[in-house]
Amino acid sequence: MDNSIKERVVAVLKHIGMNVNRASKFLGVPQRTLNRQVNEGGNISMEIVYAILNNVPEISPAWLIAGEGAMLVGDEAPKVCTIPFYDDLPLSAGHRDAFDPTREKPSAYISIPSSPADFYFPVSGSSMEPEFNDGDIVGVKRVDRSEGIVHGAVYMVVTNENRMIKRCYHDNNDPNLIWCVSPNYPSFPINKNDVCALFKVVNRIETF
């Protein structure tokens, strides 16, 4: 191994707040061996590497061995996703234009760490309050209609004429019907054949 690993081992000792004598006992390696490799120009052996990884689990193996990423597991910068935001296409219980992502142009993009959403939309109106308030932004993920609706989950339902956010339920008597329910708007059924696209609401950004 190249000598740059020595600097990382020294950083680990600083991280755990121990000098070579205390660290050798903590890691279970001979004090003379650790001192020679850290302070006397010796190369860092795999014995020391394994001792650190076995006893200091928060140390990233990739960082310690190859200098890649952050020293501590979980400290790597999260992946940032850039998701289209359609500010001019709000979701509501009322009649709105439908949504076709192949034709609509986003008004902006939202950069957010590790977002599960495909698109973001603003919520319009009070039909879904208090769970979703007027002005909130919701992230939605496209789902295959053939997979079916999760009973009681919240969806963005797109028909030829409507684009709405609703909690959806199966009809107990007619398998072709979906009931669209919200706290402050009359519930109504729609036929599954009238659904052009279905998006599950996967997260919400509150606005104040």
Side-chain angles (χ1 to χ4, degrees), residues 116-165:
D118 293 329
F119 309 103
Y120 280 96
F121 296 86
V123 174
S124 175
S126 59
S127 67
M128 289 294 289
E129 291 182 352
E131 186 174 2
F132 299 94
N133 299 311
D134 184 50
D136 284 352
I137 296 172
V138 293
V140 301
K141 186 174 183 63
R142 184 191 291 275
V143 296
D144 190 333
R145 286 177 298 167
S146 65
E147 296 176 359
I149 284 178
V150 176
H151 192 71
V154 178
Y155 289 89
M156 167 182 158
V157 181
V158 179
T159 67
N160 286 327
E161 299 174 344
N162 300 331
R163 183 182 63 257
M164 54 196 169
I165 177 174

Side-chain angles (χ1 to χ4, degrees), residues 35-201:
N35 185 65
R36 183 178 69 252
Q37 294 183 20
V38 171
N39 295 324
E40 297 179 2
N43 293 326
I44 300 297
S45 65
M46 287 305 300
E47 176 189 11
I48 300 301
V49 171
Y50 289 143
I52 290 173
L53 296 179
N54 287 333
N55 291 280
V56 194
E58 68 268 28
I59 298 298
S60 164
W63 173 82
L64 182 60
I65 296 171
E68 298 177 355
M71 178 175 74
L72 302 182
V73 174
D75 273 4
E76 291 81 4
K79 179 182 178 182
V80 175
C81 302
T82 302
I83 314 296
F85 174 54
Y86 297 88
D87 189 36
D88 55 347
L89 296 175
L91 305 179
S92 75
H95 294 278
R96 299 278 183 173
D97 294 333
F99 168 66
D100 183 352
T102 64
R103 293 186 300 177
E104 304 289 353
K105 183 178 180 180
S107 51
Y109 290 86
I110 292 179
S111 295
I112 189 169
S114 303
S115 173
D118 293 329
F119 309 103
Y120 280 96
F121 296 86
V123 174
S124 175
S126 59
S127 67
M128 289 294 289
E129 291 182 352
E131 186 174 2
F132 299 94
N133 299 311
D134 184 50
D136 284 352
I137 296 172
V138 293
V140 301
K141 186 174 183 63
R142 184 191 291 275
V143 296
D144 190 333
R145 286 177 298 167
S146 65
E147 296 176 359
I149 284 178
V150 176
H151 192 71
V154 178
Y155 289 89
M156 167 182 158
V157 181
V158 179
T159 67
N160 286 327
E161 299 174 344
N162 300 331
R163 183 182 63 257
M164 54 196 169
I165 177 174
K166 289 292 183 181
R167 192 172 293 281
C168 295
Y169 295 88
H170 302 290
D171 188 277
N172 291 330
N173 300 312
D174 189 340
N176 293 317
L177 292 182
I178 300 168
W179 279 90
C180 296
V181 178
S182 54
N184 307 305
Y185 195 88
S187 301
F188 58 91
I190 59 174
N191 194 294
K192 291 180 181 179
N193 293 327
D194 293 331
V195 176
C196 300
L198 195 63
F199 302 81
K200 188 174 183 180
V201 175

